Amino acid sequence: MARRKRLVKIEKPADGENRDAGKTFVVTEVDAVQAEEWGVRALMALGTSGIQIPQEMLALGVLAIPLVGYQVFMGAKEEAVLPLWREMLPACVTFQHSETNFEPFNRTHVEEVSTLLELRKAILELHTGFTMAELASKFASMGSAFLNQSSSITQGDQLPAG
């Protein structure tokens, strides 16, 4: 079966400049096993950082990653998180020069941090099957207490279970 794909075209923002404006990237889903293993490693990275994630959220696997959010990752250990971040883009993204000319992703294709964030968001949405807004809505009751507490997490802090 064919992998799902999504085109991400970087637009020029109305309020400024974007050096990546006009560039197109193709985000392609990895196989289910690779996606699940990435999600498990991400959750384990958080767990080894002293951050406790409620059992209900751990049961979600890769779906928990968008709910946990960037701020919780900032409390994780660099050596656990950076390899995951580095693996994400080359595994899923190709750069589209033209309709028929594609190139594997490399860091020289991107000049703006906002482009990296947009690509990472597209990867997570493609693999979970939900937009970030849908995920937030779908799991609001389960994760709301966790998300509210996570905004004040510092490294070494622990969250109450469930």
Side-chain angles (χ1 to χ4, degrees):
M1 183 172 226
R3 300 275 171 234
R4 291 181 295 203
K5 295 179 184 252
R6 178 182 294 175
L7 284 179
V8 176
K9 183 168 179 159
I10 307 303
E11 305 292 336
K12 181 178 179 182
D15 63 344
E17 203 173 296
N18 184 324
R19 293 171 290 181
D20 293 327
K23 293 180 182 177
T24 302
F25 298 88
V26 180
V27 176
T28 305
E29 106 185 293
V30 295
D31 66 72
V33 172
Q34 186 177 353
E36 180 189 45
E37 287 175 355
W38 188 94
V40 167
R41 285 185 287 129
L43 292 172
M44 289 172 60
L46 296 175
T48 60
S49 297
I51 297 169
Q52 292 186 353
I53 301 171
Q55 250 346 89
E56 311 83 59
M57 292 189 80
L58 286 174
L60 297 173
V62 74
L63 290 174
I65 301 303
L67 289 175
V68 170
Y70 285 112
Q71 62 266 53
V72 177
F73 270 105
M74 295 306 120
K77 294 180 177 155
E78 176 182 341
E79 62 271 12
V81 174
L82 284 182
L84 293 165
W85 245 226
R86 289 180 183 132
E87 174 185 331
M88 188 183 235
L89 295 170
C92 300
V93 178
T94 55
F95 179 64
Q96 184 175 347
H97 290 281
S98 66
E99 289 289 323
T100 58
N101 187 5
F102 300 87
E103 182 181 332
F105 179 86
N106 73 59
R107 62 191 316 151
T108 63
H109 293 133
V110 176
E111 298 182 64
E112 301 285 352
V113 172
S114 62
T115 300
L116 294 172
L117 294 174
E118 193 167 338
L119 291 171
R120 291 183 197 288
K121 178 180 163 209
I123 291 167
L124 289 171
E125 288 176 354
L126 187 65
H127 284 85
T128 62
F130 298 100
T131 65
M132 294 303 164
E134 289 169 335
L135 272 172
S137 173
K138 184 173 178 68
F139 299 110
S141 62
M142 178 191 308
S144 62
F146 175 75
L147 292 172
N148 290 337
Q149 292 173 347
S150 70
S151 63
S152 62
I153 292 175
T154 58
Q155 189 165 348
D157 286 350
Q158 302 233 340
L159 296 175

